Structure formats: structure tokens, C-alpha cells
């Protein structure tokens, strides 16, 4: 179960051209996005710690996502 709400996932899928979106599709997207975001966040925390900071910045997220 994802902590990302399903409604925004449905809107995102519709924005990409879908006429109708099954709840299971929106839930699957939310789970996949959360898994991917978790990996990026862990990398960003490592980058912030390496820079001797406690605060994760946007630049850390961007670098971690590359």
C-alpha cells in the first residue's frame, strides 16, 4: 500500500491521454512511483551527508535522480 494518494495518479494518467483509469492502475502507478522516489531519497540523503549537511536540498534530489 502506497502513501501517495490515488486521485492524483488518476489525474496524471488522464492528463497523459487516458479516457478512463482503473483504480488498480492508479494504485500500481502510486506504488511504483513511491518505490522509485524512495531510492532517489536514499541517494539524496547520502549526498547531503557527504556534503556535511543535515538538510536535503533540491540539488541533492536532482543529482540522486541522474
Amino acid at each position: 500500500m502506497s502513501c501517495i494518494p490515488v486521485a492524483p495518479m488518476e489525474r496524471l494518467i488522464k492528463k497523459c491521454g487516458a479516457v478512463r483509469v482503473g483504480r488498480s492502475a492508479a494504485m500500481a502507478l502510486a506504488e511504483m512511483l513511491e518505490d522509485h522516489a524512495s531510492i532517489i531519497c536514499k541517494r539524496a540523503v547520502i549526498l547531503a551527508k557527504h556534503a556535511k549537511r543535515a538538510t536535503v536540498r533540491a540539488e541533492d534530489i536532482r543529482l540522486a535522480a541522474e
Side-chain angles (χ1 to χ4, degrees):
M1 174 68 80
S2 174
C3 68
I4 299 174
V6 175
M9 299 300 101
E10 291 171 346
R11 287 193 300 271
L12 180 61
I13 295 169
K14 284 183 179 182
K15 186 177 179 180
C16 291
V19 176
R20 296 175 61 191
V21 179
R23 188 156 181 86
S24 62
M27 290 173 65
L29 179 59
E31 288 176 15
M32 293 177 76
L33 287 176
E34 187 171 337
D35 290 344
H36 191 65
S38 180
I39 292 166
I40 292 171
C41 290
K42 288 176 184 176
R43 291 177 182 166
V45 168
I46 291 169
L47 290 168
K49 285 182 180 179
H50 178 73
K52 305 211 184 311
R53 288 185 276 107
T55 303
V56 174
R57 296 180 181 168
E59 63 195 52
D60 299 321
I61 296 293
R62 287 187 192 100
L63 283 172
E66 289 181 357

